[in-house]
Amino acid sequence: LPAGHRAEGNPLAADEFAKKYLLHQKSAVEPSTYDRCRAVVDQVKPILGKKLLVDIHLRDIQDYVNVRAQTVYHKLDGTEKKIAPGTVKRELIMLSGLFSKALDWEYITKNPCKKVVLRKYESRKERILKLVEEPELFKAFTMNDRRKYLVEIVTLALNTGMREGELLALQCKEVDLVTKMIVVRSTNENTTKGKKTRILFMNEHVQAALGRL
């Protein structure tokens, strides 16, 4: 049975199969997982195009991974950053899932993602802020009026361990200044680490920062 063909011999275009796959995933997985699948499919559209599944080879997937690993995106603050290796790995896993489903449904006889090599691209080492550096960090914020709003956000991040998405999604109803507790909720739109809702207790720095908002 040639890869890319069903037993009856009817060829299937890769982009048509992607539609079938997404339709299946929409009812089979969590909404957040489906959104990630759809995003990956959108990323690989230039590779899939109108090709038949039989024409998608290991080299095509490897080229996609190599290009993604060198992709640079612009952050909200205007700086540039490479796509994280972990992001590329997750995209490859999801793409492999698409081809695994094609294998299960007998559209292909081999998954072209199986022998893709994830190279160890150079990445910036994690930078941990030292306690003695905190005053200089906050001084830098106050030197520029456009950055002053960051003082409270960074204070919360340093003293609670909340992630960027969790901070930006935080609502007033989730903050209780009387009991000194913050409820960090996990939702489909804003998933927390571990996808679990948790309670954080405020120290005096967090209370002061929230009081200034």
Side-chain angles (χ1 to χ4, degrees):
L1 176 68
H5 290 65
R6 299 204 68 171
E8 62 269 23
N10 294 324
L12 183 70
D15 61 343
E16 287 301 315
F17 176 77
K19 293 176 183 177
K20 291 177 180 287
Y21 175 71
L22 288 177
L23 186 62
H24 166 78
Q25 290 295 88
K26 192 168 187 178
S27 60
V29 300
E30 294 291 328
S32 57
T33 302
Y34 169 76
D35 288 340
R36 288 193 292 271
C37 289
R38 185 177 60 183
V40 171
V41 170
D42 288 342
Q43 285 286 349
V44 298
K45 275 183 179 178
I47 294 176
L48 299 179
K50 294 295 182 181
K51 290 183 179 180
L52 300 178
L53 285 176
V54 68
D55 295 326
I56 304 295
H57 301 295
L58 168 63
R59 183 72 261 166
D60 298 309
I61 307 300
Q62 187 68 67
D63 287 345
Y64 165 77
V65 168
N66 293 346
V67 170
R68 282 295 284 163
Q70 298 299 323
T71 299
V72 174
Y73 69 95
H74 295 276
K75 299 176 67 177
L76 293 177
D77 60 5
T79 60
E80 294 183 345
K81 187 177 180 180
K82 274 188 179 180
I83 297 291
T87 299
V88 179
K89 183 178 181 179
R90 287 190 293 273
E91 290 181 358
L92 177 60
I93 290 172
M94 289 196 169
L95 188 57
S96 181
L98 181 149
F99 284 100
S100 291
K101 187 57 67 177
L103 190 61
D104 291 343
W105 291 346
E106 299 181 348
Y107 284 106
I108 58 176
T109 59
K110 184 171 61 175
N111 186 336
C113 298
K114 289 300 182 182
K115 293 185 179 180
V116 171
V117 177
L118 286 170
R119 300 175 185 175
K120 294 182 179 179
Y121 295 96
E122 181 181 353
S123 60
R124 186 169 52 190
K125 291 184 177 179
E126 186 178 77
R127 174 74 162 83
I128 299 177
L129 185 70
K130 297 178 181 178
L131 188 61
V132 295
E133 295 175 321
E134 282 191 29
E136 290 300 316
L137 175 64
F138 286 105
K139 180 180 178 181
F141 293 147
T142 56
M143 289 174 63
N144 188 321
D145 287 340
R146 290 183 298 175
R147 296 178 180 172
K148 284 184 177 180
Y149 74 95
L150 291 172
V151 172
E152 281 71 34
I153 295 176
V154 174
T155 297
L156 291 175
L158 290 176
N159 289 274
T160 65
M162 293 173 68
R163 302 160 82 194
E164 181 182 359
E166 295 171 345
L167 287 166
L168 296 176
L170 189 64
Q171 300 181 31
C172 292
K173 64 182 180 181
E174 296 162 344
V175 176
D176 192 328
L177 295 175
V178 177
T179 60
K180 302 177 183 178
M181 292 192 302
I182 298 174
V183 179
V184 183
R185 301 187 187 280
S186 183
T187 65
N188 289 333
E189 292 77 22
N190 299 289
T191 55
T192 62
K193 191 169 186 178
K195 298 183 179 180
K196 294 181 179 179
T197 295
R198 66 185 191 278
I199 295 176
L200 304 176
F201 293 92
M202 308 178 201
N203 60 19
E204 64 273 16
H205 301 295
V206 174
Q207 292 178 66
L210 290 172
R212 291 193 295 268
L213 293 175

